[in-house]
Amino acid sequence: MAESVSDEVILDIKNISLNFGGVKALTDISFDVRVHEIRAIIGPNGAGKSSMLNCINGVYQPQVGSIAFRGQTFKHMSSRQVAEMGVARTFQNLALFKGMSVLDNIMTGRTLHMKTGLLLQALRWGPAEREEMAQREKVEHIIDFLEIQAHRKTPVGRLPYGLQKRVDLGRALAMEPEVLLLDEPMAGMNVEEKQDMCRFILDVNKEFGTTIVLIEHDMGVVMDISDRVVVLDYGKKIGDGLPDEVRRNEDVIRAYLGTSH
Amino acid sequence: MSNANLLLNVNGIKVIYNHVILVLKGVSLQVREGSIVALLGGNGAGKTTTLRAISNLLEGERGEVTKGAIELRGERIEKLSTAQMVERGVVQVMEGRHCFAHLSIEENLLTGAYTRKDGKAAVATTLEKVYSYFPRLKTRRGSQAAYTSGGEQQMCAIGRALMANPRMVLLDEPSMGLAPQIVAEVFEIVKDLNAREGVTFLLAEQNTGMALRYADYGYILESGRVVLDGEAHALRENEDVKEFYLGTGGASADNPRKSFKDVKSYKRRKRWLA
Amino acid sequence: ETKEQFFPLLVYRTGPYAPNGTPWANGKQDYIKMVNARDGGINGVKITFEECETGYATDKGVECYERLKGKGASLFDPQATGITFALTDKVIKDKIPLVTLGYGLAASQDGGVFKWNFPLMGSYWTAADMLIQHLAKKEGGFDKLKGKKIALVYHDSPFGKEPMPLLDERQKMHGFELIKIPVTAPGVEQKSAWLQVRQQRPDYVLLWGWGVMNSTALKEAQATGYPREKMYGVWWAGAEPDVKDVGEGAKGYNALALNTSGQAPKVIQDILKYVHAKGEGTGPKDEVGSVLYTRGLIIQMLGVEAVRRAQERFGKGKVMSAEQVRWGLENLALDQKRLDALGFSGVLRPISTSCQDHMGSTWARVHTWDGAKWNFSSDWLQADEQILKPMVKVAAEKYAAEKKLERRTPADCQS
Amino acid sequence: MFYRENGQFKTSYRADSQIFPIRQDRVAVAALLLLAFVGLPLLATDYLFSAILIPFLILSLAALGLNVLVGYCGQISLGTGAFMAVGAYAAYNFQVRIEGMPLLVSLLMGGLCATAVGVLFGIPSLRIKGLYLAVATLAAQFFCDWAFLRIKWFTNNSSSGNVSVSELSVLGLAIDAPVQKYLFCLSLVTVFALLTKNLVRGAIGREWMAMRDMDVAAAVIGIRPVYAKLSAFAVSSFIVGVAGALWGFVHLGSWEPAAFSIDRSFQLLFMVIIGGLGSVMGSFFGAAFIIFLPIALNQLPRLLGLQIGTETASHLELMVFGALIIFFLIKEPHGLARLWSTAKEKLRLWPFPH
Amino acid sequence: MGFLIETIFGGLMTGMLYSLIALGFVLIYKASGVFNFAQGAMVLFAALAMARFTEWIPQWTGLTQPLLVNGLGFLAACAVMVLVAWLIERLVLSKLVNQEGITLLMATIGVTYLMEGLGQTLFGSDIYKIDVGMPKDPIFLFEKTFEGGVLVNKEDLYAALIAAAMVALLALFFQKTATGRALRAVADDHQAAQSIGIPLSRIWVIVWAVAGFVALVAGVIWGSKLGVQFSLSLVALKALPVVILGGLTSVPGAIIGGLVIGVGEKVSEVYLGPLMGGGIEIWFAYVLALLFLLVRPQGLFGEKIIDRV
Ligand SMILES: Nc1ncnc2c1ncn2[C@@H]1O[C@H](COP(=O)(O)OP(=O)(O)OP(=O)(O)O)[C@@H](O)[C@H]1O
Ligand SMILES: Nc1ncnc2c1ncn2[C@@H]1O[C@H](COP(=O)(O)OP(=O)(O)OP(=O)(O)O)[C@@H](O)[C@H]1O
Ligand SMILES: [Mg+2]
Ligand SMILES: [Mg+2]
């Protein structure tokens, strides 16, 4: 996909530092994400990868640093504002709405697109009905795309882990985001399922032009599908570049890959 | 497989959740004392359910074994409680970590030794051993488990089970969320405990390559049935396994593995029974 | 075909008010059993009954009412102010009399508006009035009340608030200071109420409580050292369960009494003979004749007498409809002779009701706990009609206006 | 074999997102409504209406409102009684202070006042969660109890704090006889149940459930916690307020604050838990369980011809009731509604075991 | 001034008694994540048992020595409470492992009804007396300093001392020990606790038995103050703001919460009440708790509520 990646920066992260009491989760991290690229974040456990995503979408407020979205800088931002700007996200520890069906989970992703008021919704009449159906159609596309048609009405809690991850992705996709943050979307999948998941991610990237930030521990996946890779270790950035450069980086090998790779 | 040192014998079990959802449709498997057995299969195949059935954790999920038998060293165990299983040396590492959120990492680990009767000193030794396996845990020992990273929690869950000094460990997706280096280490630990202390392992794993490299024997589960089983090395050579679980199907010598990028279409796993 | 006069009995034998509700209910039931056993019913009409447990809760009370009214109920005695309020509207349509002896709405004394309510023998206004009179007597005249402090420690509910208009009126007349101290129902925590008593140091405390609130108040009074001799309860705060477990600590405490207690009266003897001796007593034998038990007897006796009175007009030996019983209640005339005949001599004063007066008697006495039993400590007191009448009239008119009711015509009074 | 959805293909999303997608269910519901609106009025006795069906309907409505808050939005409330009281007293004041106020308008205005109070006491929910939130709602409960007892204005200066209403009528039709009251309540409840069902299966319902299941994730998706939580408080207390007004106006006719005490709040909470959190149908099941069962248990000894005292009977009733609650929870922790749907699922598979 | 001190003192005493009941809630919540609605019913049950046993024992054995009778009655009531704990575990909790908190809460409501019915069937529903020889009359302190002195209720004082001792004992017992840790683990995640071999049933029997014991002590103290009858179960309601204010998981929190609420409600009622028509103490306690919670949503000493993605 490298050819279609422009040089335009969509997300510019500058000097982010984040502490929890004594724990320095992130120290002075800067990197950028370009429009339409697949940007991987890797690093050992506890390096601060998930925290980085949490900073980007407003769950954590970093003590130092700023994040610019399409050149617009912000420091404190509520999750809602970030969502409105077109950033969606999946979670490492599944954060699905357990009591709801697959369909409803994905429908929640359309919240920002739903406009009818409470009263009309209660009557479910006219515009409310039309809107609901229009959104439903969009969601059905996603369900088809992720091939979970059979589970539409199943409560997500009953699904096996791998499918739950897929629903999580579906919910994020439903937001029609410009930037999609994926936190270990392939954990707990076997190779074939990972292949499918990669296919989904690549398709999203290509068909919808979505920029993707991906955290993943499977080096095979990272090396194959990402355009550029950031490496974190103990909250510090220790590498940034094309997959092949990163793979050869001594620091990265020592801290993360180990010799077996 | 000879019956001589049979540790665990699962015989044709059926499991139903919520009185209506039939998940295991007659699963049988054997684990010999001192072996490492891998349980493979796609999402929703029933691996977790099988492990839950063995360690008797189904009740809390409103599931029940409706048919078949499970024997541990010849003793029927379906009626035992999980605590009694732990007393018999069988400990499960649950899928999805399940750390005690409000307890610190160290407290989590110490709780793992709840059933031990061999004194504080012995527990302390095991604790040190776990810390040496997972140095990262030592640095985070004082923080509440809920506020550690996913991988740290995974290490904590594995370490907690090891604290019980088990004879048999049921590992559910140990590699999930761990960095490659740590994954390798976890498997080394498994091998190490197995070789040196004779601990038996039954592991449900998605990282098929790793699992088959370390296991002696493997079972492949799909839709609640065992569809294939055999010695690990034999499975590694099986074409279907290669294609669907190892991702090396049709690979050639100079290109050992197909790139994830080059997968052009979604595949549906071959239905073994179809 | 047997003829049966049916009495539904709304009772509470469970919940926070059970210790007080139980003897009351037992009294009602035993009286019915006794009349059946001794007299063979009312002029040959057997009395039947069915109990329904309300737990003192209004919604359950309404459920009981709805369930039992269809069985040919003669009258209802809901045993609770809240249920009374809820039923007051319903009985108009259902045409069933509501007997609320010593409780209920004070204004319902006015039979001209409240056709179906019978607050026989007293309301909270008469009670409050008698207490103030008694205090004045103790002080040596109404003029001596000036500048005195009287605290009303009350159950924070319509029951506890009902006496206020009268006390306010009396306060204006005599210039004492009325301090109102609410106690949240059911009244198990009264520390702050009694702290306030200690802070204000009133000359008298009027206790308007029910159930556990009474004994708790006495214990708190003991704990804060407030003299029990200066405490005066309404007649619902003057029975055995209120003082029994306080024992010595309640010595000297006074309360109004609508009736006697003890096993001396003939009616009690009859009950022991015809009911308890046969092993058919409803409660324990030693509770027979206690204050609330006896009150239960009286309530039931008045109900039975109302039926008897109605039979005199509508046909002896017939089963009376609720409407006919209502007429009976409105035309009760129990003079001393009749009371003696019924075995109630000394238990209560004669009572006679009329279309305009549904109370029939406004007399009570004060009794005092000596640590083991209740002893009368005053003469008969009577509420002051001069004060009461206009107040009742105003309140009843207001009610009638709200409900768009017409005052009953003399013709209606005859029917 | 007759309960199948096989062969019922949905050709549109609209058809698929009906309230009852399975035809047999639709038929059953239609039959039920027919029975309720036509059958019962012909058959039932006054006792059944006044003592059982009317309270059942009104409390179902209140439970429905509470279910929106607790079941759908996950905010535990012990202040339902208070919101009912606000509805009742507000409606009362509209009724007595404004000449010629139509009953229906009074009831709805009562609901609106309850909404305002509900939202006010819902504000702490933005910061306080779970059982801790119960304190905020308990504060509402006890404050309202106190206010209606103490502030004379609310009770139109009634000296005892007791208020009453009479001569109800809607659009010129008197609501007087039990059967009229029943039909009036039934219509309101049906309409509210429908509207609520529409809400909970629509966008706002999903927002509520998302808040309930995982609030951080919900925020990341773009759901505003303030809006979601407070709208749940608003909708819930509106329904509860209307139910309260009905309870006062239609069922009791005359009431004091004790009619809406903390006991009522607990009772309603029990209903939604036993019936099924997050289920419209569950509210009805729960109300039925909590109202019918004690009455049935109470009648049981008599029906069996057993002679036991009222006291023993009520204690027995308590015990059996408690035991049954436990029994059903063990059978199905998610409430009667779930038990019902599991049963249907089984029926769907019948005669095959799975 | 003297009166203010007296009011505060009275508040502290009452608060201590609330703490005692709150403690029962905290114990069970801390050890199993169950909000035990039945705590009030347990108090009633225990007190009824104690009251009736002290009544029956002289009848059965002819013993009359009050200390002995009370002692035996107390032991018998203890035994009853252990039996109750065992039954609750067997019949209810063991069947509801790994269910959500709200389901368990509802189950304890079922237990409440059962115990209220059973207790009154077995022991009767009249008013009974517990007389453990608590002095009933007041003492006056600082009579020289303040006019009228500061009144202290001796019974309250003893009760508060007993409550404080209980609370201290339990705090010690549950802090830092292996059992304490296991209890907290169970509260966090039933299934995970099971998976590492913590025997839920044994733990629960122990905890419920201890909570039963606490209920008994509370029942004896409150019962000797109020008399033993149904209303006793309602005092549990007063402990609700206390536990929540103190933090559902904190034993010391139960004490501090009790004291804060006790003093808050007495002072507000006595000084603000008359201005507002009285009876404000109930809602005032809750508003007070609410204000604290706005600052600390997990209560004064409760464990931080974890929400993380
Ligand atoms: N508690 C439950 N209630 C109902 N169904 C369940 C429950 N747990 C699991 N299932 C169902 O059982 C089937 C097998 O699930 P299981 O978790 O055993 O699969 P798995 O092989 O471990 O999959 P994964 O690799 O994704 O973890 C799935 O279809 C799932 O939907
Ligand atoms: N809310 C929090 N409070 C305290 N510490 C936290 C919090 N969130 C994260 N941390 C700490 O910050 C560090 C980075 O955590 P993070 O979850 O970002 O790691 P990660 O790179 O995603 O690791 P993994 O690959 O294991 O998921 C960890 O040591 C973690 O314990
Ligand atoms: Mg992470
Ligand atoms: Mg699994």
Side-chain angles (χ1 to χ4, degrees), chain C residues 13-14 50-51 53 59 62-63 66-67 82 85-86 89-90 93 154 156 158 161-162 165 182 398 403, chain D residues 47 50-51 149-150 157 160 162 164-166 176 247 251-254 256 264 298-299 302 310 314-315:
Chain C
R13 297 173 177 277
T14 61
E50 184 175 328
E51 277 199 349
E53 171 72 30
D59 55 338
V62 171
E63 197 266 310
E66 295 290 350
R67 183 195 310 164
F85 284 148
D89 285 350
K90 296 188 190 279
K93 277 176 219 118
Y154 66 98
D156 202 355
K161 294 191 341 184
E162 192 69 16
K398 181 173 175 231
K403 295 279 166 173
Chain D
Y47 166 65
S50 314
L149 210 50
R150 194 70 60 229
N157 301 320
S160 60
N162 180 75
S164 59
V165 291
S166 56
D176 194 23
W247 188 253
H251 180 52
L252 293 177
S254 147
E256 46 177 317
R264 178 80 55 221
N298 186 282
Q299 299 285 54
R302 206 161 291 128
T310 317
S314 355
H315 291 155

Side-chain angles (χ1 to χ4, degrees), chain C residues 40-57:
Chain C
I42 313 166
N43 296 324
V45 179
K46 274 250 178 247
I47 312 179
T48 57
F49 63 86
E50 184 175 328
E51 277 199 349
C52 186
E53 171 72 30
T54 67
Y56 200 72

Side-chain angles (χ1 to χ4, degrees), chain B residues 47-48 95 172-173:
Chain B
K47 305 181 291 297
T48 303
E95 173 183 60
D172 202 347
E173 311 226 1

Side-chain angles (χ1 to χ4, degrees), chain D residues 6-21:
Chain D
N6 291 4
Q8 300 182 23
F9 298 109
K10 316 284 179 331
T11 46
S12 70
Y13 295 137
R14 183 190 300 263
D16 188 46
S17 51
Q18 286 171 11
I19 299 180
F20 300 103

Side-chain angles (χ1 to χ4, degrees), chain E residues 178-203:
Chain E
T179 321
R181 200 162 51 221
L183 293 177
R184 288 164 64 204
V186 174
D188 263 352
D189 192 329
H190 292 175
Q191 223 180 3
Q194 272 184 313
S195 81
I196 54 169
I198 296 177
L200 290 192
S201 49
R202 199 159 69 222
I203 292 255

Side-chain angles (χ1 to χ4, degrees), chain C residues 208-260:
Chain C
W208 227 266
W210 181 228
V212 71
M213 172 178 164
N214 296 330
S215 55
T216 309
L218 285 165
K219 287 176 184 168
E220 286 293 347
Q222 184 185 12
T224 47
Y226 188 84
R228 265 67 78 203
E229 295 75 25
K230 300 198 158 185
M231 291 174 65
Y232 286 82
V234 65
W235 44 60
W236 299 114
E240 289 80 1
D242 304 322
V243 288
K244 209 167 50 182
D245 73 322
V246 196
E248 281 292 304
K251 207 166 148 181
Y253 165 66
N254 316 286
L256 278 174
L258 281 171
N259 52 268
T260 52

Side-chain angles (χ1 to χ4, degrees), chain E:
Chain E
M1 185 60 199
F3 185 69
L4 180 65
I5 295 177
E6 185 176 319
T7 308
I8 291 175
F9 220 85
L12 289 174
M13 301 290 164
T14 320
M16 215 56 220
L17 295 186
Y18 292 163
S19 305
L20 195 56
I21 296 173
L23 192 62
F25 283 104
V26 170
L27 280 181
I28 289 181
Y29 190 83
K30 205 172 156 67
S32 48
V34 181
F35 190 84
N36 179 24
F37 196 82
Q39 193 64 32
M42 281 168 70
V43 171
L44 172 66
F45 198 88
L48 274 175
M50 167 84 183
R52 297 316 300 266
F53 278 126
T54 49
E55 211 175 306
W56 291 334
I57 285 171
Q59 292 170 18
W60 292 338
T61 60
L63 294 171
T64 48
Q65 214 277 324
L67 195 67
L68 198 63
V69 170
N70 274 322
L72 285 177
F74 191 79
L75 286 182
C78 271
V80 168
M81 292 319 285
V82 172
L83 185 71
V84 165
W86 183 77
L87 283 175
I88 289 179
E89 198 285 325
R90 274 297 77 195
L91 302 179
V92 186
L93 297 175
S94 66
K95 307 261 192 287
L96 288 169
V97 176
N98 206 30
Q99 299 305 330
E100 284 153 42
I102 192 101
T103 307
L104 289 164
L105 170 75
M106 193 63 212
T108 64
I109 288 163
V111 172
T112 307
Y113 285 121
L114 250 175
M115 283 181 66
E116 280 174 0
L118 190 68
Q120 295 185 74
T121 309
L122 290 179
F123 301 116
S125 53
D126 209 345
I127 298 190
Y128 305 101
K129 218 160 138 172
I130 291 182
D131 188 359
V132 285
M134 293 260 229
K136 306 277 183 201
D137 290 314
I139 48 174
F140 294 89
L141 305 174
F142 310 117
E143 269 180 293
K144 303 236 171 55
T145 333
F146 306 112
E147 192 238 314
V150 171
L151 176 142
V152 177
N153 185 347
K154 258 201 257 170
E155 182 180 27
D156 279 359
L157 193 62
Y158 287 148
L161 287 180
I162 294 174
M166 283 281 299
V167 169
L169 208 73
L170 283 164
L172 274 183
F173 181 67
F174 281 99
Q175 288 292 307
K176 304 272 175 200
T177 61
T179 321
R181 200 162 51 221
L183 293 177
R184 288 164 64 204
V186 174
D188 263 352
D189 192 329
H190 292 175
Q191 223 180 3
Q194 272 184 313
S195 81
I196 54 169
I198 296 177
L200 290 192
S201 49
R202 199 159 69 222
I203 292 255
W204 279 340
V205 173
I206 294 175
V207 176
W208 281 73
V210 174
F213 178 74
V214 173
L216 176 57
V217 175
V220 169
I221 293 179
W222 278 97
S224 88
K225 271 174 69 82
L226 296 179
V228 180
Q229 59 110 356
F230 183 83
S231 320
L232 208 54
S233 63
L234 303 175
V235 293
L237 219 55
K238 305 283 306 185
L240 226 59
V242 174
V243 246
I244 294 180
L245 174 61
L248 285 162
T249 49
S250 164
V251 173
I255 313 179
I256 309 291
L259 297 182
V260 171
I261 296 276
V263 173
E265 71 179 25
K266 299 301 169 252
V267 171
S268 66
E269 182 66 55
V270 172
Y271 289 96
L272 289 177
L275 304 178
M276 303 177 68
I280 65 168
E281 63 181 323
I282 274 228
W283 61 262
F284 197 86
Y286 284 95
V287 171
L288 200 66
L290 185 60
L291 292 178
F292 273 103
L293 285 183
L294 285 176
V295 184
R296 278 183 70 84
Q298 70 273 38
L300 290 177
F301 296 95
E303 274 172 340
K304 205 155 173 229
I305 299 163
I306 288 174
D307 60 326
R308 230 205 115 184
V309 280

Side-chain angles (χ1 to χ4, degrees), chain A residues 174-190:
Chain A
M175 292 170 69
E176 295 182 4
E178 288 186 57
V179 180
L180 183 57
L181 314 174
L182 302 173
D183 197 347
E184 300 196 22
M186 286 166 241
M189 297 193 176
N190 66 22

